[in-house]
Amino acid sequence: MDAIGNIDWSTVTAILAASGLRVCVALAVAYLAYLAVFAIVGRLTHLSEIAVDDLLIKRIRRPIKYSIFAIGLTVAAQSDPALRQVWEPIAQFVRPALLGWIAYNVVRGLTAAMELRMADADPLTSRSRRTRIAVLSRIAIFSIILITIGLMLFAIPAVRSIGTTMLASAGLAALAIGAAAQPALKSLIAGVQVALTEPMRIGDLVKVDGETGRVEEIHMSFVTVRTWDERVLVVPTSRFLEDTFENWSRLDEALTGTVFLHLDPITDIAPIRAEFARYVEAHELFDGRNCGLAVTEAYPESVELRMVVSSNTIADLWTLRCDVREHMMAWLRQDMPDALIRHRLEVPHGHAKAGEP
């Protein structure tokens, strides 16, 4: 019985009954060893002021527990041929599964610890680190799962023989695997590039396909962007490397925005410019960088005024623009109503019938 597929399960019960006492003793000793080890580790982490230790120990505690049980059964099976005959085929699956479980939890624990340490970082640094941690941790987890499943499958003789045959024809196998895995490899490479070059980060405000939103998650194959109306855009990761997109918070969130007004061509611009400057400079969301008004277009029936304002954050800029637009329209209606556009029909010398009764 060198593999689990060759086990005669009708004899397993009898073998375990004969070796039951040895198994119970091995599990009991393993459990005591588990308690002793984590009692010592718990004291050491209690003395440490770093929260990383507690997070990591909490993550790996359960897989380490079952790994110690597996070690205990392996030691017991060395002195009991009947138990070894049952345990070893099963252990070929249990050992890689436990190792993969431990590695997976170590990555998750380190990820949580690094995210915890970023709590006091500035927003720009925090977004950069969160992006790298998210992408690289997902790549590590994907690799761990893939290797674990591969090791478990190679414990099956049929799969092992297929693998040997594939290795014998490695050239054709490499071509076939490369063709089949091209999309996955492309996504994996794109994820690594995003983590290293950081064209966008988690929390950045981006504009893609005409939609604007915050980057919520960055996976190896796709990126989720949540728009202002709470829709979620799912965009392939490679799209951000191959196509053009806008990142409004690449370096910081300080932006300059515009407010447009279309007024009557006879409008006197100087009073409007003075009122605009007075209002913006007194506004609490104005950061003092950019404030200006210019006539950018002149049409037969209107003129276009572009008012430029700036703020420290994108959200503040949006609010400031809305406030400026609302205030200027209210001020124009009250103080300069003639500036609002009117459609006129001029008759130079009057109409012949206009004066007739």
Side-chain angles (χ1 to χ4, degrees), residues 40-274:
I40 297 173
V41 173
R43 286 182 175 274
L44 293 177
T45 56
H46 182 72
L47 296 175
S48 174
E49 297 180 355
I50 304 176
V52 176
D53 301 338
D54 296 329
L55 286 173
L56 191 59
I57 295 301
K58 183 179 179 180
R59 289 280 184 179
I60 66 173
R61 189 181 186 95
R62 181 174 294 181
I64 290 293
K65 175 182 178 180
Y66 290 106
S67 298
I68 294 176
F69 286 163
I71 293 173
L73 288 174
T74 301
V75 173
Q78 298 304 313
S79 58
D80 190 334
L83 179 60
R84 183 169 63 251
Q85 193 177 16
V86 174
W87 170 246
E88 284 303 321
I90 300 175
Q92 294 180 21
F93 296 87
V94 173
R95 291 186 190 116
L98 289 173
L99 288 175
W101 191 9
I102 293 173
Y104 172 83
N105 281 8
V106 166
V107 172
R108 293 292 301 274
L110 292 176
T111 301
M114 286 187 284
E115 290 178 350
L116 182 63
R117 294 182 62 182
M118 292 188 301
D120 298 331
D122 62 274
L124 182 62
T125 303
S126 177
R127 289 203 305 268
S128 176
R129 291 179 180 175
R130 283 177 60 198
T131 301
R132 292 188 179 184
I133 291 171
V135 175
L136 296 179
S137 65
R138 288 190 177 100
I139 293 174
I141 289 173
F142 174 79
S143 303
I144 290 169
I145 294 174
L146 186 64
I147 293 172
T148 301
I149 294 175
L151 292 174
M152 293 176 68
L153 289 178
F154 266 86
I156 303 174
V159 176
R160 191 186 303 120
S161 62
I162 293 175
T164 304
T165 305
M166 290 178 64
L167 290 176
S169 56
L172 295 177
L175 291 175
I177 293 174
Q182 184 177 1
L185 292 175
K186 183 179 180 181
S187 299
L188 180 63
I189 294 172
V192 174
Q193 285 183 292
V194 167
L196 296 179
T197 61
E198 294 184 350
M200 81 292 185
R201 296 154 299 198
I202 294 175
D204 277 357
L205 187 68
V206 298
K207 185 176 183 180
V208 56
D209 292 338
E211 300 281 357
T212 304
R214 292 276 182 182
V215 176
E216 275 197 340
E217 296 178 333
I218 300 178
H219 297 265
M220 289 186 294
S221 57
F222 65 91
V223 176
T224 60
V225 179
R226 184 172 293 276
T227 61
W228 66 272
D229 55 356
E230 299 184 355
R231 290 178 294 125
V232 176
L233 305 179
V234 181
V235 186
T237 305
S238 58
R239 180 74 171 277
F240 289 92
L241 300 175
E242 298 172 353
D243 297 336
T244 302
F245 71 97
E246 296 181 20
N247 189 336
W248 292 1
S249 55
R250 180 68 178 83
L251 299 178
D252 55 49
E253 292 206 358
L255 281 182
T256 298
T258 56
V259 176
F260 290 94
L261 292 179
H262 293 84
L263 303 177
D264 195 281
I266 66 171
T267 301
D268 186 6
I269 305 301
I272 300 176
R273 181 179 285 113

Side-chain angles (χ1 to χ4, degrees), residues 305-316:
L305 274 62
R306 185 184 70 176
M307 297 177 287
V308 177
V309 293
S310 61
S311 192
N312 286 321
T313 68
I314 297 170
D316 289 347

Side-chain angles (χ1 to χ4, degrees), residues 12-22 80 82:
V12 171
T13 304
I15 294 174
L16 290 179
S19 306
L21 180 59
R22 193 183 299 273
D80 190 334

